[in-house]
Amino acid sequence: RSEGGADHYELTERPAEAELLPGLRTQVWGYGGSFPGPTIVARSGRRTVVRLVNQLAEPTVLHLHGGHTPAESDGFPTDLVPPGAARAYTYPLDQRAATLWYHDHRMDHTGQQVWRGLAGMFLVRDDEEEALPLPSGERDVPLLICDRSFAADGSLLYPALGGGRPGVREAYMGGVLGDVILVNGAPWPELRVARTRYRLRLCNGSNARAYELTTGGPITRIGGDGGLLAAPRTARTIRLAPGERADVVVDFAAYRLGQQVELRNLAGEGPQARVMRFTVDRDEPDDSAVPQRLSAVEALDPSRARVTRDFTFSSGGLHGGTGWLINGRPFDPGRMEARPKLGETEVWRLTSDVAHPVHLHLGHFQVVSVNGERPAGPPEWKDTVELREAQTVEIVTRFTGYRGRYVLHCHNLEHEDMAMMAAFEVV
Ligand code: C2O
Ligand code: CU
């Protein structure tokens, strides 16, 4: 519904039955009762208002991941919408076209609530992108990838942890992995495609699993978390840690009629290697192209930063059971770990023990160095970066637009729930 210069959506969270595995009924918690929730398509610079109606028996919080959002609508982990309540989240979307997603963000419970279905995709479009001849319409396909485990009767399996902070469990400490990979809620789905280019918006919505995706042939990456790249880059594999997105173009004209092209995960084996397949079943005209110049991407200059901050991600007593920590402390929503100034460039130095995908709210950033080395290629905007084991990654960022409380955290959702999160206030 469009009204008063804004687009309005209503998302009702409710228990529902879905057929995720063929012939079986699965109880999910869905936005609009579906798993995943509906894909919202919005326009840069046009206000989008999402009214969240909570018909679940649990409190929830809505976060637009990658959104440049005022603090009161960002979904701070303690800004709960209680059972039976509703509230409106306002997204001004003063940001570039990008592939975003939305999901639950309730403190200590995000992993379980997302696992049950509280996630969906959110595309922001703009004029710059629409002026490009990229594949569009039916050939622009959002793909939300996540892994789940099921019991024999089709119900979702998630480790039972009781109330409060979860105790230490081997399966839970590393993050919860599923044994079936789902794409838009379906295992190993098939998409029939013409012998033309397709734009695939890959989003890793898994709690803890990272993917190395391949079609076996060349993939052209055109965008990431923060929208279009300056220029396309050809890749054989696309690595996606939890929370990350990749916008890619695959040209099925390179394949024969009747051929099946598999999207596989090189980081998994057996069923965890199977993501989806494309069956090339027709010839159609293709007027799309991938131009050599996609977008003007501003490079943030780290030498202009007056402030450098350190954030160390570490396990806090695997045996003592305190979970996962940032700068030696568990998440405390009342303590501000940093107070960056609005509009100022800062360098944040992120250091890990084991691998942690780190996500910042509000501020998009560019990677300056990984273990002291500059990354290859021109800068790109990101909101989530994977720290591999024992890595230090320096990022340059600038918080613009809104003051207030936000969070950064590990996007391994069980790590986040075990307190690997920190609040900061933009002042
Ligand atoms: Cu995708 Cu703070 O989250
Ligand atoms: Cu982590």
Side-chain angles (χ1 to χ4, degrees):
R1 184 167 55 90
S2 270
E3 194 184 286
D7 292 332
H8 296 260
Y9 294 88
E10 187 158 293
L11 285 177
T12 301
E13 299 168 307
R14 57 184 175 83
E17 279 205 335
E19 185 177 330
L20 302 181
L21 302 181
L24 289 173
R25 302 257 118 213
T26 301
Q27 279 287 337
V28 301
W29 295 356
Y31 293 112
S34 73
F35 180 118
T39 298
I40 293 176
V41 182
R43 190 104 211 139
S44 169
R46 186 167 166 85
R47 206 149 48 87
T48 294
V49 179
V50 175
R51 184 163 179 270
L52 185 76
V53 181
N54 183 359
Q55 293 181 357
L56 299 169
E58 302 284 333
T60 62
V61 173
L62 180 64
H63 172 60
L64 176 61
H65 181 128
H68 187 247
T69 305
E72 62 276 14
S73 284
D74 193 56
F76 195 80
T78 51
D79 285 349
L80 304 177
V81 179
R87 68 153 288 180
Y89 292 83
T90 298
Y91 304 117
L93 300 178
D94 47 352
Q95 60 188 109
R96 317 165 68 216
T99 302
L100 313 183
W101 62 302
Y102 60 93
H103 59 78
D104 185 68
H105 217 301
R106 176 185 170 199
M107 181 172 161
D108 297 345
H109 296 265
T110 298
Q112 174 173 182
Q113 300 198 163
V114 169
W115 185 271
R116 291 180 188 277
L118 296 179
M121 290 183 75
F122 189 111
L123 311 183
V124 180
R125 300 194 190 278
D126 69 8
D127 297 342
E128 182 197 40
E129 179 197 65
E130 274 175 4
L132 299 173
L134 296 169
S136 61
E138 278 184 1
R139 298 185 192 153
D140 178 358
V141 191
L143 298 171
L144 182 62
I145 304 171
C146 62
D147 57 336
R148 295 292 185 267
S149 296
F150 297 87
D153 66 356
S155 56
L156 285 166
L157 280 178
Y158 191 81
L161 292 156
R165 283 262 157 72
V168 178
R169 298 175 55 119
E170 266 315 306
Y172 195 85
M173 266 319 271
V176 176
L177 298 172
D179 44 26
V180 182
I181 312 297
L182 304 174
V183 178
N184 297 341
W188 192 230
E190 179 192 21
L191 182 68
R192 300 182 165 273
V193 294
R195 293 184 63 248
T196 64
R197 291 182 192 84
Y198 280 73
R199 178 176 183 179
L200 308 175
R201 316 243 199 171
L202 306 166
C203 173
N204 184 356
S206 307
N207 284 30
R209 182 181 293 280
Y211 299 83
E212 297 270 350
L213 300 170
T214 179
T215 56
I219 295 178
T220 306
R221 195 165 73 87
I222 58 168
D225 303 340
L228 291 172
L229 306 179
R233 295 172 75 165
T234 305
R236 304 291 301 192
T237 62
I238 302 284
R239 185 169 174 95
L240 281 186
E244 285 187 303
R245 286 88 68 212
D247 202 337
V248 305
V249 173
V250 174
D251 189 357
F252 292 103
Y255 301 96
R256 308 181 307 277
L257 274 185
Q259 198 172 344
Q260 195 162 83
V261 181
E262 296 182 349
L263 183 67
R264 299 186 72 86
N265 170 28
L266 296 176
E269 276 166 27
Q272 292 98 56
R274 288 195 288 272
V275 181
M276 71 175 290
R277 53 231 154 99
F278 301 90
T279 304
V280 184
D281 73 347
R282 60 197 188 274
D283 274 305
E284 270 176 15
D286 188 1
D287 52 11
S288 74
V290 180
Q292 278 316 298
R293 273 193 61 85
L294 293 167
S295 179
V297 176
E298 180 203 359
L300 278 188
D301 180 359
S303 73
R304 304 209 24 198
R306 287 213 210 96
V307 179
T308 298
R309 300 180 199 270
D310 277 290
F311 295 92
T312 301
F313 292 74
S314 67
S315 50
L318 268 166
H319 307 291
T322 50
W324 297 91
L325 310 172
I326 298 179
N327 290 346
R329 289 181 286 267
F331 180 52
D332 172 351
R335 194 194 59 243
M336 297 301 128
E337 194 67 32
R339 288 202 158 76
K341 281 208 185 106
L342 189 71
E344 288 208 353
T345 303
E346 298 204 351
V347 168
W348 287 18
R349 199 183 295 130
L350 315 171
T351 304
S352 63
D353 52 358
V354 299
H356 299 289
V358 173
H359 171 50
L360 264 63
H361 288 210
L362 185 68
H364 289 187
F365 58 78
Q366 295 172 355
V367 174
V368 177
S369 70
V370 177
N371 285 345
E373 307 253 343
R374 268 202 93 78
E380 77 170 271
W381 289 108
K382 292 186 63 60
D383 58 51
T384 306
V385 64
E386 185 181 27
L387 308 185
R388 309 292 289 266
E389 202 177 308
Q391 264 186 353
T392 293
V393 173
E394 283 183 305
I395 60 173
V396 58
T397 188
R398 193 173 54 201
F399 298 97
T400 58
Y402 313 104
R403 295 189 162 86
R405 295 183 311 172
Y406 293 91
V407 289
L408 78 146
H409 58 89
C410 178
H411 217 288
N412 176 313
L413 298 182
E414 284 72 34
H415 289 186
E416 176 189 331
D417 286 344
M418 284 184 281
M420 194 173 244
M421 178 148 63
F424 62 91
E425 183 179 12
V426 180
V427 295

